[in-house]
Amino acid sequence: MKTSELIWQDKQHQVLLELIEQIISSNGDASIFRQLYEYAENHFSLEEEYMIKLNFPEAEEHIRAHDKFRSELESMMQEFTSYDELFRKALAEFLSEWLKGHIYGIDKKLEAFILKSPYK
Ligand SMILES: [Fe+2]
Ligand SMILES: [Fe+2]
C-alpha cells in the first residue's frame, strides 16, 4: 500500500458530495437510494478492510458508526413514501451531517493512521 493510493478515500468521499448535489437537484428519481446504498457499502467495506488489516485501534468505534449509518439509511428507505422536495431536503441534510461529522472527523483520523502505518 503506497501513500499515493490513499487518494481512494478522498475520491470516494468526493462521490458522496456529488450524490448530495444530485439529490438536491433531482426531480423524483428515487434510484438514488440504490446508488447511495451501493456507494456506502463499497466505501465502508474498503475502509473496514484497511482498519482490520492495519489493526487500527479505533476500528470498533469506527465500524459502529458505519453500522449506524447503514441502519439509518435502511430505515429511510423503508419509511420513504414520496420522493418530494421535503424528503430530498431531509436526505441531503442527513448526508451533509454525515459528511461533517464522520468524514471530516473520524475518517481523517483513519487517513492519518494509514499514512503513518509502517505497512503502507
Ligand atoms: Fe469514509
Ligand atoms: Fe468511515
Side-chain angles (χ1 to χ4, degrees), residues 8-9 13 39 43-44 47 62 66 98 102-103 107 110:
W8 64 261
Q9 201 193 25
H13 289 155
Y39 161 80
H43 177 66
F44 290 168
E47 282 191 357
H62 199 135
H66 287 175
W98 173 260
H102 186 90
I103 293 176
D107 273 354
L110 174 62

Side-chain angles (χ1 to χ4, degrees), residues 96-108:
S96 301
E97 285 303 314
W98 173 260
L99 198 79
K100 279 185 264 168
H102 186 90
I103 293 176
Y104 297 145
I106 201 169
D107 273 354
K108 287 282 162 206

Side-chain angles (χ1 to χ4, degrees), residues 70-104:
R70 286 175 169 113
S71 73
E72 280 176 28
L73 185 63
E74 189 108 22
S75 34
M76 274 184 133
M77 285 164 83
Q78 276 164 13
E79 286 160 21
F80 143 87
T81 47
S82 162
Y83 195 66
D84 56 11
E85 202 186 334
L86 202 72
F87 181 79
R88 285 190 281 117
K89 263 190 160 171
L91 183 58
E93 183 134 339
F94 165 67
L95 297 172
S96 301
E97 285 303 314
W98 173 260
L99 198 79
K100 279 185 264 168
H102 186 90
I103 293 176
Y104 297 145

Side-chain angles (χ1 to χ4, degrees), residues 2 5-6 13 17 19 23 26 34-36 40 44 51 53 56 58 60 62 68 74 84 91 95 104 114:
K2 292 190 191 77
E5 287 174 19
L6 247 200
H13 289 155
L17 261 175
L19 285 171
I23 290 165
S26 87
R34 194 182 28 79
Q35 287 180 57
L36 259 176
F44 290 168
M51 284 190 260
K53 204 154 61 184
F56 181 52
E58 290 165 57
E60 213 176 294
H62 199 135
K68 190 166 179 269
E74 189 108 22
D84 56 11
L91 183 58
L95 297 172
Y104 297 145
I114 296 173

